[in-house]
Amino acid sequence: MREPAFPSRPIVIAGPTAVGKTGLALEVAERWNAEIVSCDSVAVYRGCDVGAAKPSAAERARVPHHLLDVAAPDERFSAADYVEHADRAIAEISARGRPVIVVGGTGLYLRALVDGLFPSPPPDPVFRAALREEAERLGWPALHARLQALDPAAAARIAPTDPVRIERALEVHAQTGEPISALQARYRAEARPRYRTLTLLVDPGQEELDRRIALRIERMLAQGLVEETRRLVARHGRDAKPLAAVGYKEVLAFIDGHLGEAELGPAIQRATRHFARRQRTWFAKYEAHREHVHPVAAPGDVPWDAIGAFLAAPPPSAT
């Protein structure tokens, strides 16, 4: 993967879902006249407003946001696509002389942006066509089970309902004879970061996180998550990638009659809590191998002085 065209020093605000990253990002951005680049694998899709908990119109009016609504829900959008879009946005923001804040909880996108993606073999159209035909017969969970046997580490972080990543992991294994997780780990050990960052890792603890998740799910249902899901299905079909995300998946079960109305909210809460725990584990590993990481459990923990010093430092060389 090529180096960024315009070197920058992004502030990264990361952490599990519902911890308050958006509010903190707005506060930091307004203090330093920065612009925000979203790092969320659902927010990239148009029409996924409630389910992705996108910033409101008022919040977007306060601070410019990028990487929201850049793909149609039935479009394949990969981590490489994200990096290409994010690099362009970061270069444009930096060229305007403004700081960049990368905000989100999609670890795959964040790692790809900061550390790069390993130089994998090009796609094999014949292999993919055969795999998709098999998925039509057996379903993607069956192919995920195959991945589990070939590459348990990759299967552990790829959902059985994520056809794009299942397909790619099986394809790379077929092309190289090696697990994609091993190739990625080797690349990360050898590669230098694409960006020098300061990271605010937001995590208020499990009890507070569970409380915030419950409030968020209640708000999302009140804002029309069910109606939004119905619109997405009508326009883009049930196989649209974002509909496999937590929240949409449970609403689909409700629409199909597998969940009652009283069961829907608790089901989304349970799935979201499970997802947030996986995110916390992922970010703990990310933190362990990163410089300039500041845990933020409460508003008083924000390292304002460190942020100011980081942004005031001379820009990195383009060489």
Side-chain angles (χ1 to χ4, degrees), residues 16 26-27 55 66 74-75 83 117 125 127 142 162 166 198 221 300 309:
L26 288 168
E27 188 176 358
H66 305 266
D74 52 4
E75 179 181 345
V83 172
L117 292 166
F127 180 88
D162 189 341
I166 295 171
L198 180 145
L221 289 170

Side-chain angles (χ1 to χ4, degrees), residues 60-202:
R60 296 194 214 186
R62 287 168 56 187
V63 173
H65 284 68
H66 305 266
L67 273 291
L68 300 173
D69 306 319
V70 297
D74 52 4
E75 179 181 345
R76 296 171 71 83
F77 193 89
S78 67
D81 294 322
Y82 173 79
V83 172
E84 181 180 352
H85 282 73
D87 277 347
R88 187 181 308 121
I90 290 170
E92 292 170 354
I93 296 165
S94 299
R96 290 193 286 273
R98 304 183 72 174
V100 176
I101 303 176
V102 177
V103 183
T106 299
L108 173 65
Y109 281 11
L110 178 60
R111 176 165 279 164
L113 179 65
V114 176
D115 296 332
L117 292 166
F118 81 98
S120 59
D124 182 339
V126 175
F127 180 88
R128 291 189 172 195
L131 200 65
R132 290 172 195 175
E133 181 181 341
E134 192 171 0
E136 285 289 328
R137 292 186 287 107
L138 303 177
W140 285 104
L143 296 181
H144 184 270
R146 182 184 304 170
L147 178 63
Q148 171 68 39
L150 295 172
D151 187 352
R157 63 174 185 256
I158 298 175
T161 53
D162 189 341
V164 174
R165 296 176 67 195
I166 295 171
E167 177 183 81
R168 187 57 179 150
L170 290 172
E171 180 182 43
V172 168
H173 189 277
Q175 291 170 318
T176 67
E178 293 190 73
I180 192 172
S181 60
L183 294 170
Q184 290 168 334
R186 192 155 62 240
Y187 173 80
R188 287 195 295 269
E190 298 170 355
R192 66 183 182 88
R194 302 175 71 247
Y195 290 100
R196 290 160 60 190
T197 61
L198 180 145
T199 302
L200 306 183
L201 195 56
V202 187

Side-chain angles (χ1 to χ4, degrees), residues 126-318:
V126 175
F127 180 88
R128 291 189 172 195
L131 200 65
R132 290 172 195 175
E133 181 181 341
E134 192 171 0
E136 285 289 328
R137 292 186 287 107
L138 303 177
W140 285 104
L143 296 181
H144 184 270
R146 182 184 304 170
L147 178 63
Q148 171 68 39
L150 295 172
D151 187 352
R157 63 174 185 256
I158 298 175
T161 53
D162 189 341
V164 174
R165 296 176 67 195
I166 295 171
E167 177 183 81
R168 187 57 179 150
L170 290 172
E171 180 182 43
V172 168
H173 189 277
Q175 291 170 318
T176 67
E178 293 190 73
I180 192 172
S181 60
L183 294 170
Q184 290 168 334
R186 192 155 62 240
Y187 173 80
R188 287 195 295 269
E190 298 170 355
R192 66 183 182 88
R194 302 175 71 247
Y195 290 100
R196 290 160 60 190
T197 61
L198 180 145
T199 302
L200 306 183
L201 195 56
V202 187
D203 190 341
Q206 192 64 57
E207 183 177 349
E208 175 62 14
L209 178 57
D210 288 347
R211 186 188 72 82
R212 295 187 186 189
I213 286 171
L215 290 174
R216 169 171 285 190
I217 302 312
E218 182 180 341
R219 183 169 60 250
M220 290 169 74
L221 289 170
Q223 290 174 339
L225 179 61
V226 173
E227 293 77 9
E228 180 174 275
T229 305
R230 292 186 190 276
R231 287 195 300 272
L232 289 167
V233 171
R235 294 174 186 173
H236 304 286
R238 298 176 63 92
D239 293 332
K241 185 178 178 181
L243 292 179
V246 172
Y248 290 123
K249 185 166 52 176
E250 288 72 29
V251 173
L252 285 177
F254 165 70
I255 292 171
D256 291 340
H258 302 309
L259 286 175
E261 185 173 357
E263 300 172 296
L264 178 57
I268 300 177
Q269 286 187 39
R270 285 193 300 273
T272 305
R273 287 196 298 268
H274 181 67
F275 175 58
R277 289 188 179 96
R278 295 204 312 270
Q279 288 179 300
R280 293 183 80 202
T281 300
W282 191 95
F283 282 115
K285 294 177 181 177
Y286 181 85
E287 176 185 10
H289 302 287
R290 198 76 43 183
E291 293 183 336
H292 306 300
V293 175
H294 298 265
V296 175
D301 297 335
V302 179
W304 298 112
D305 290 344
I307 296 171
F310 184 79
L311 292 175
S317 169

